[in-house]
Amino acid sequence: MGTPISTPDQIRGALQFLASDTRCSERERAALRDLREHGTDPVLTRLRALLR
């Protein structure tokens, strides 16, 4: 297992990776891209805490 995701930039990288997953619907990929591009650092940090 790799290093835990902890910074907003790492969260954005994970969202970018997930948005490239072809198993996701186009709508899901668009939502992930929007979150990556427009999510503020506090929002992304809170998202990480919720997903733990």
Side-chain angles (χ1 to χ4, degrees), residues 1 4-5 7 14-15 19 23 26-28 30-31 33 36 38 42-44 47 50 52:
M1 198 178 252
I5 295 173
T7 68
L15 291 170
R23 294 173 292 180
E26 183 53 41
R27 183 176 177 191
E28 292 167 328
R33 283 191 302 267
R36 176 179 49 90
H38 304 294
V43 167
L44 295 176
L47 174 63
L50 290 171
R52 286 184 131 188

Side-chain angles (χ1 to χ4, degrees), residues 5 8-25 28-30 32-37:
I5 295 173
D9 285 337
Q10 290 172 322
I11 297 166
R12 285 185 185 91
L15 291 170
Q16 182 175 359
F17 174 77
L18 291 171
S20 68
D21 188 340
T22 57
R23 294 173 292 180
C24 293
S25 70
E28 292 167 328
R29 288 193 302 267
L32 289 165
R33 283 191 302 267
D34 285 347
L35 183 56
R36 176 179 49 90
E37 293 170 8

Side-chain angles (χ1 to χ4, degrees), residues 5 26 45-46 51:
I5 295 173
E26 183 53 41
T45 301
R46 180 68 181 138
L51 294 174

